[in-house]
Amino acid sequence: MASVRGYFHPKTATGDASLIPSPPWHYSGDLLTVEYRTDPARVRELLPEPLELADEDPGAVALIWADWQSCAADGIQLLDPVLAQYKEAFAVVRCQYKGRTYSRCVYIWVDKDFAVARGLHQGYPKKLGSIHQTRPHPYGPAPRIEAGARFGATLAAADRRLAQAVVTLREPSETNGFVNSHPMAHHRWLPSVEKGKGLALDELIETGAASFEAGEAWAGDAELELFEAPTEELARLEIREPIGAYYRQVGVVWDGGTLLESGTSGAE
């Protein structure tokens, strides 16, 4: 009797064609973070039950650009860079579950299929997009990590620009912002293949880094713009008040999450 292997589709006799390897997944990345305040009602409309608005600063949003290299435990993808390198941009809010504050990714765009597949597993609402950000470098015209350095970042999807930012570094910082500093509260949803049967998978999970290391964080100022698009809703998180901006290089390991509850989200 034939058996097939692989952590994710496609499953084959060898498993070599699987879109993503099994965890743990290791990441090295450059992060640009812009934080601002929006109407808390716009955050609330993105939180399915049983999640609630955070008690403190409920309208806070972080829009984050990340330039990643990632790999499985053996690191082999780093030697075939098309399998390791990708970029993403994502919007994070904070929420509350049973009295505890969580971060939650409400929108995210990536530029590689393997990143989309990992997102489906982790509960991130990933879509394909076009993401670019200025890279630091110690030589030539690229910015150094120092006061006055300027970084640009853009996000587009389906041929429409959704966001753009310019971040100017000011000084070293003790933090990389506060909106994305908690464990993530995500949903894993999968509709039933039978019509009218609702969700075959409906899980609220907690997930986060199994380990984390980072370089010095830098705080700065940001010029941020959001744009309307016919099939995107990022602009509904309108900018009411800037909070700050940050740059940091990080190393992260992801190795699974924890089920909080299932079958109670009321998602349609």
Side-chain angles (χ1 to χ4, degrees):
M1 188 173 182
S3 62
V4 291
R5 298 182 175 86
Y7 187 74
F8 202 81
H9 298 302
K11 291 181 178 287
T12 64
T14 67
D16 292 342
S18 179
L19 186 54
I20 51 176
S22 60
W25 299 326
H26 299 252
Y27 303 80
S28 300
D30 290 57
L31 272 59
L32 277 175
T33 301
V34 180
E35 294 185 336
Y36 67 93
R37 293 183 178 93
T38 192
D39 181 351
R42 294 292 174 88
V43 176
R44 183 67 189 91
E45 69 185 19
L46 294 171
L47 302 178
E49 295 181 358
L51 301 179
E52 300 175 339
L53 282 172
D55 287 337
E56 182 181 350
D57 220 342
V61 179
L63 189 55
I64 304 166
W65 279 264
D67 188 355
W68 292 114
Q69 296 185 79
S70 63
C71 62
D74 59 9
I76 194 66
Q77 291 82 8
L78 297 175
L79 302 182
D80 192 358
V82 70
L83 302 178
Q85 296 175 4
Y86 73 101
K87 296 184 289 293
E88 67 185 5
F90 53 107
V92 176
V93 300
R94 296 182 308 140
C95 60
Q96 195 164 280
Y97 171 73
K98 292 187 175 181
R100 183 180 182 186
T101 301
Y102 287 86
S103 301
R104 181 176 176 90
C105 178
V106 291
Y107 298 115
I108 180 168
W109 295 264
V110 299
D111 60 3
K112 289 289 182 68
D113 57 358
F114 63 80
V116 172
R118 285 197 302 222
L120 292 175
H121 180 64
Q122 297 168 307
Y124 283 88
K126 293 190 177 184
K127 302 174 73 172
L128 287 175
S130 175
I131 303 99
H132 296 279
Q133 65 191 79
T134 307
R135 292 169 174 162
H137 199 279
Y139 304 106
R144 281 71 164 166
I145 308 304
E146 61 187 12
R150 304 179 77 215
F151 295 81
T154 62
L155 164 65
D159 292 334
R160 277 88 168 183
R161 180 160 291 193
L162 305 181
Q164 62 188 30
V166 174
V167 173
T168 303
L169 301 188
R170 187 176 61 249
E171 60 194 5
S173 171
E174 292 184 1
T175 75
N176 197 44
F178 70 96
V179 179
N180 194 39
S181 63
H182 309 280
M184 309 298 290
H186 282 165
H187 278 87
R188 291 175 8 115
W189 287 320
L190 182 67
S192 173
V193 73
E194 293 188 57
K195 290 184 178 180
K197 294 292 187 179
L199 294 174
L201 176 66
D202 183 4
E203 294 181 343
L204 175 62
I205 64 166
E206 177 183 322
T207 184
S211 65
F212 176 84
E213 58 182 335
E216 184 176 49
W218 279 75
D221 303 298
E223 304 164 35
L224 175 65
E225 295 179 89
L226 306 179
F227 305 100
E228 298 281 351
T231 58
E232 302 292 351
E233 300 181 57
L234 177 63
R236 287 185 62 81
L237 295 174
E238 61 187 13
I239 304 164
R240 289 198 167 180
E241 179 187 358
I243 296 175
Y246 305 90
Y247 170 86
R248 199 175 200 184
Q249 293 181 317
V250 303
V252 181
V253 177
W254 187 90
D255 196 17
T258 302
L259 178 65
L260 297 177
E261 58 181 80
S262 60
T264 60
S265 70
E268 298 179 358

